Amino acid sequence: MASSSVTYFSWKNTLIAITTIFILSSSSCSASPATTKVNPRPSPFKKIYAFGDSFTDTGNTKSATGPSGFGHVSNPPYGTTFFHRPTNRYSDGRLVIDFIAESLSLPYLKPYRSILSNATDVAHGVNFAVAGSTAIEHQFFVKNNLSLAITPQSIQTQLLWFNKFLESQGCKVAGAACKAAAFDDALFWVGEIGVNDYAYTIGSGIPSDTIQQLGISRVTSFLQALLKKGAKYVVVQGLPLSGCLPLAMTLAPEDDRDSLGCVKSANNQTYSHNRVLQAKLQQLRTQFPHAVITYADYWNAYFTIMKNPNQYGFKESFKACCGTGDPYNFEVFAVCGTPSASACPSPSQYINWDGVHLTEAMYKVLSDMFLNGKATHPPFSYLLDMKLRHG
């Protein structure tokens, strides 16, 4: 598929959509439950370090509001399915990173911002992902007058947070002891990062090819920094099938559709991004031969589910479970968590939760594909085997 510029909605609507959806805000760092179901299989990893945006964020979202003047993700019905209360996760329940932790018999990860003010056990890792985060540094958006109410954090910010965390654990100098304590038994999970970069620049005149080049360059530099520090086992998620999200479906012209019925230009864009990202990952494998770098194919996993949703237990592929309005149960000014929005009675039958993010059920299916299916390259089982073999 060829790369294409996404031109399916006006700049004004884009800003509104971005500021009210991509960085739906809440009071920072609602505490996450510290325990989970125990997997009888012994885990080769003792900790996870996670990075990314709202698809991976478990509570780092900064307290802020969009033009509508209120936060949403800290309000019910967020969290209703599993936690039975909002936990600042952008879903009705658990995310992919939560299922990854469960599979490794580890507790759910604490968000980095929560450990700054609380004496928290971080022996099992930390989550640095923050909603609205970009791959490209914030200054790029400021320079191009695209900084209206967007999250200032980028993947480089998360790297700075990680460095500060290491220093707080006594790793001011990356010596052998520090590496052994912080890296040897750690899985680095890099959730998707880059969708926000494209969204923030729609209608700005900045070519999508420029965003692709800069975004992948920043992610590559981020990964190089982790690998140079001593990361040995790294999973990198690609971008999702963003054209199937109700946000895109609502605002795109009806003639911009692919074989799935989703927004063709948006899906082509993320597909092209992922192909370039995979090529960069292969270069990193050559540069760091002692590391295992696995690509989690978010796009094709999502595509597989959309082709045959009934096979995975889904009855609704396009409508958001939580929201209001026709035809996709999504309106920019009445998003999930606001008084005029309501949730469907059976979130497990829906792929999409709030118009931008997915349901726990969808995240569970995706996680199974990453962990046990064919959506990781090399397979996640290979990464586990290598860890068990080399300790």
Side-chain angles (χ1 to χ4, degrees):
M1 298 184 184
S3 174
S4 60
S5 295
V6 182
T7 58
Y8 48 81
F9 45 83
S10 70
W11 177 232
K12 179 181 178 181
N13 280 342
T14 303
L15 284 178
I16 294 171
I18 291 164
T19 51
T20 55
I21 297 297
F22 282 94
I23 52 171
L24 298 178
S25 304
S26 66
S27 56
S28 180
C29 312
S30 174
S32 301
T35 58
T36 184
K37 296 178 182 178
V38 176
N39 189 326
R41 182 180 64 185
S43 171
F45 293 105
K46 295 180 180 179
K47 59 177 72 72
I48 304 172
Y49 298 120
F51 308 85
D53 60 16
S54 56
F55 289 93
T56 309
D57 186 358
T58 56
N60 280 315
T61 303
K62 186 177 181 179
S63 180
T65 54
S68 49
F70 43 69
H72 310 300
V73 74
S74 59
N75 298 338
Y78 282 95
T80 187
T81 294
F82 182 79
F83 301 104
H84 307 298
R85 61 181 178 86
T87 62
N88 286 349
R89 286 168 171 82
Y90 287 77
S91 184
D92 60 310
R94 292 163 289 183
L95 312 178
V96 166
I97 192 62
D98 295 312
F99 290 113
I100 301 304
E102 286 186 6
S103 76
L104 296 174
S105 302
L106 295 174
Y108 300 134
L109 298 182
K110 294 290 185 180
Y112 173 70
R113 280 179 163 158
S114 74
I115 70 173
L116 296 177
S117 56
N118 300 301
T120 304
D121 179 14
V122 293
H124 300 294
V126 180
N127 191 337
F128 299 92
V130 58
S133 188
T134 55
I136 304 170
E137 62 277 5
H138 182 63
Q139 186 58 34
F140 171 83
F141 301 98
V142 174
K143 179 181 177 181
N144 288 280
N145 297 317
L146 301 173
S147 58
L148 177 62
I150 69 173
T151 300
Q153 285 83 20
S154 69
I155 194 68
Q156 294 302 317
T157 307
Q158 295 176 40
L159 180 61
L160 291 175
W161 287 353
F162 179 62
N163 290 339
K164 290 180 179 179
F165 168 75
L166 292 180
E167 290 181 7
S168 73
Q169 301 301 300
C171 291
K172 292 185 178 181
V173 179
C178 172
K179 285 186 177 181
F183 292 91
D184 284 357
D185 293 318
L187 172 66
F188 288 78
W189 189 277
V190 183
E192 81 89 18
I193 188 84
V195 166
N196 291 325
D197 298 71
Y198 290 107
Y200 294 160
T201 51
I202 292 172
S204 67
I206 299 174
S208 62
D209 287 349
T210 298
I211 299 304
Q212 180 185 105
Q213 179 183 358
L214 292 174
I216 291 177
S217 172
R218 301 305 187 268
V219 171
T220 302
S221 296
F222 167 79
L223 292 170
Q224 286 176 323
L226 291 181
L227 291 162
K228 287 178 180 178
K229 286 178 180 295
K232 296 180 181 178
Y233 304 96
V234 184
V235 178
V236 181
Q237 283 185 241
L239 301 190
L241 209 64
S242 58
C244 295
L245 301 175
L247 170 63
M249 298 287 291
T250 297
L251 300 173
E254 292 185 1
D255 61 353
D256 185 7
R257 295 291 186 267
D258 58 17
S259 62
L260 295 173
C262 301
V263 179
K264 182 178 181 178
S265 57
N267 284 344
N268 283 357
Q269 187 180 70
T270 50
Y271 182 87
S272 173
H273 181 105
N274 289 338
R275 291 193 65 178
V276 177
L277 174 62
Q278 290 178 76
K280 292 294 183 181
L281 294 183
Q282 187 55 42
Q283 293 175 12
L284 289 175
R285 293 185 185 106
T286 302
Q287 185 179 355
F288 300 94
H290 299 298
V292 180
I293 305 171
T294 289
Y295 174 69
D297 195 343
Y298 201 167
W299 198 100
N300 276 303
Y302 200 144
F303 184 86
T304 299
I305 297 165
M306 288 294 293
K307 282 198 303 183
N308 193 359
N310 290 334
Q311 178 181 337
Y312 299 95
F314 298 113
K315 295 183 179 180
E316 180 51 63
S317 301
F318 295 108
K319 287 185 178 181
C321 169
C322 183
T324 188
D326 294 324
Y328 303 112
N329 198 37
F330 174 80
E331 290 184 4
V332 169
F333 289 108
V335 293
C336 186
T338 62
S340 55
S342 60
C344 64
S346 302
S348 63
Q349 297 178 1
Y350 283 66
I351 285 176
N352 195 277
W353 167 245
D354 61 5
V356 175
H357 308 97
L358 310 179
T359 59
E360 176 185 272
M362 179 62 166
Y363 285 130
K364 177 65 167 65
V365 174
L366 290 168
S367 300
D368 287 343
M369 288 181 164
F370 293 155
L371 294 169
N372 307 308
K374 299 179 180 180
T376 47
H377 314 285
F380 191 73
S381 58
Y382 170 81
L383 181 146
L384 292 178
D385 289 344
M386 291 298 289
K387 178 63 176 73
L388 289 170
R389 185 180 305 175
H390 297 289

